[in-house]
Amino acid sequence: SKLTDVTLTSYRKTKDELIQRALMDNDFMKHLEHGQILTIMDCMYPTSLAKGCCVIQEGDDGSTVYVLEEGMVEVTKQGKKLCTIGPGKVFGELAILYNCTRTASVTALTDIKLWAIDRQGFQTIMMRTGFIKHSQY
Ligand code: CMP
């Protein structure tokens, strides 16, 4: 076959690349330093939930930031559907970044696979790099 006929298929799906892309795609995370992204990637652990499970309950104290690896979730606020989220997206970041309660509920529409990082680790990564940066001046 001619070279021009070849269709290239990209196989991504490594943990690091999925998480890095998800962070870069998120309005609140895309400005992180490269070192912070690397550390978040390092600290994220895998978890999974069955279809129908509540991942996040609106109004709760937030303890975890997630990256969705596989499956679909639905975001609702006061019972109203806001959107669905698919693989490669961050969610659950707002309560941790803004130190507020969960702004919406997130429910698994399918069995899902997630990468997770706990609030304490996430905030430490945010602060540590900020501190190093600050101390350079
Ligand atoms: P958090 O408030 O921690 O928990 C609920 C999550 O749902 C929130 O973080 C966001 O990641 C997500 N979320 C809230 N509102 C919206 C929205 N309007 N569209 C998409 N995602 C949302």
Side-chain angles (χ1 to χ4, degrees):
S1 69
K2 290 187 306 218
L3 277 173
T4 49
D5 294 337
V6 174
T7 305
L8 295 176
T9 310
S10 103
Y11 298 94
R12 188 196 33 69
K13 317 271 186 325
T14 66
K15 172 196 177 189
D16 286 355
E17 203 174 329
L18 178 90
I19 293 171
Q20 180 164 15
R21 281 172 185 245
L23 295 174
M24 306 284 278
D25 186 57
N26 181 278
D27 284 341
F28 303 96
M29 313 261 202
K30 63 168 83 162
H31 303 295
L32 294 178
E33 291 169 26
H34 188 59
Q36 284 174 303
I37 290 176
L38 291 177
T39 314
I40 291 170
M41 279 167 10
D42 246 15
C43 293
M44 288 196 111
Y45 57 88
T47 180
S48 61
L49 282 170
K51 177 179 176 177
C53 284
C54 175
V55 189
I56 289 176
Q57 178 71 53
E58 182 180 354
D60 280 0
D61 289 329
S63 60
T64 314
V65 180
Y66 299 99
V67 169
L68 185 60
E69 179 178 14
E70 209 176 288
M72 296 290 290
V73 297
E74 181 176 69
V75 182
T76 58
K77 198 177 173 88
Q78 290 165 345
K80 290 195 186 116
K81 182 178 163 177
L82 291 180
C83 65
T84 57
I85 293 177
K89 300 286 182 202
V90 172
F91 66 90
E93 78 286 30
L94 297 182
I96 282 84
L97 286 172
Y98 293 104
N99 217 26
C100 60
T101 56
R102 295 296 199 185
T103 62
S105 292
V106 179
T107 310
L109 293 175
T110 64
D111 290 352
I112 55 172
K113 285 187 184 170
L114 303 155
W115 292 97
I117 182 168
D118 294 333
R119 165 192 282 271
Q120 198 186 13
F122 186 76
Q123 287 182 333
T124 302
I125 293 163
M126 298 303 218
M127 267 178 43
R128 188 187 283 163
T129 313
F131 175 74
I132 291 164
K133 204 196 299 176
H134 187 73
S135 67
Q136 286 170 346
Y137 293 94

